[in-house]
Amino acid sequence: MSKFFDHITPELTEFIRAQPVFFVATAAPEGRINLSPKGMDTFRVLDEKRVAYLDLTGSGNETAAHLLHDGRITIMFCSFDTNAEIARIYGRGFVIHPSDERWRELIANFPNLPGVRQVMEIRVESAMTSCGYAVPRMRETTARDTLEKYWTKKGEQEKEDYWQKHNLRSIDGLQTGMPETTPRPRR
């Protein structure tokens, strides 16, 4: 049976912290709906009405574009172990970049990981739990370290160059809010 909440309860917080993966869904008023899996200890419950996740550099920047143009976001946590439960958070999201005033406050909640792009802060409008009876039981064997190794090897300049080439616009052509910079000459 589904249960609805207007905030994040202590029980929901406990369930969320136990999940190694979460899913983020966003959409702009027009265009594609984006659904992305996330992991790597990047989600935090800040208080009963605010959550945030550390966004690492990836192939696109759809979530940022959608939040800039619409703001709606759904985050889903799904238990793949013996506890057959699903939790969803519904809210309005905001992108916080390293140059933003609130960056230091938010980034302090997360581990120091290579490839950091931005923090997504979500104001919780509602949350719900539901059964996960049809979700298979699966085991987490090991965390995947591919992204960490990739951005450690590339370094800051190559990360910023990647942003300029791949992260300024969504696949539907929407601006993502990332600042454009003048390319630096290579040494």
Side-chain angles (χ1 to χ4, degrees):
M1 183 61 105
S2 296
K3 292 181 185 176
F4 286 88
F5 308 91
D6 65 356
H7 64 283
I8 305 294
T9 66
E11 295 79 19
L12 260 174
T13 299
E14 186 179 330
F15 175 76
I16 287 167
R17 286 183 179 148
Q19 306 317 310
V21 66
F22 61 99
F23 301 86
V24 176
T26 56
E30 306 240 346
R32 294 170 179 88
I33 297 168
N34 187 58
L35 176 61
S36 296
K38 307 288 182 185
M40 295 178 61
D41 188 32
T42 57
F43 192 88
R44 296 292 182 270
V45 175
L46 302 174
D47 60 47
E48 66 179 20
K49 294 296 275 183
R50 287 182 321 132
V51 298
Y53 73 88
L54 186 63
D55 186 58
L56 304 174
T57 302
S59 56
N61 201 4
E62 303 308 298
T63 302
H66 292 167
L67 294 181
L68 182 65
H69 293 275
D70 184 81
R72 295 174 301 146
I73 186 167
T74 300
I75 301 172
M76 184 183 82
F77 300 87
C78 184
S79 174
F80 294 103
D81 59 19
T82 56
N83 182 13
E85 188 174 350
I86 296 169
R88 291 178 184 86
I89 297 171
Y90 303 97
R92 294 276 167 187
F94 307 90
V95 181
I96 310 300
H97 294 107
S99 60
D100 292 337
E101 189 176 298
R102 298 196 50 240
W103 176 257
R104 294 184 91 157
E105 168 200 341
L106 290 171
I107 197 68
N109 292 287
F110 300 100
N112 185 16
L113 295 171
V116 170
R117 177 171 52 192
Q118 54 215 357
V119 172
M120 306 305 197
E121 181 181 24
I122 297 96
R123 306 240 189 260
V124 176
E125 294 176 344
S126 63
M128 74 172 282
T129 59
S130 60
C131 76
Y133 294 164
V135 176
R137 288 183 180 153
M138 300 187 314
R139 290 193 183 136
E140 178 187 9
T141 55
T142 58
R144 191 181 309 262
D145 62 357
T146 309
L147 190 65
E148 267 186 276
K149 286 180 178 178
Y150 182 83
W151 288 117
T152 297
K153 182 179 175 184
K154 293 290 185 186
E156 285 298 309
Q157 183 58 52
E158 286 191 59
K159 177 182 76 172
E160 290 179 22
D161 292 346
Y162 185 91
W163 292 347
Q164 295 301 302
K165 187 173 181 182
H166 300 287
N167 289 173
L168 296 179
R169 294 196 171 270
S170 74
I171 57 176
D172 290 323
L174 299 172
Q175 291 183 348
T176 65
M178 290 198 77
E180 288 191 55
T181 60
T182 306
R184 294 184 218 171
R186 293 260 177 207
R187 293 181 186 211

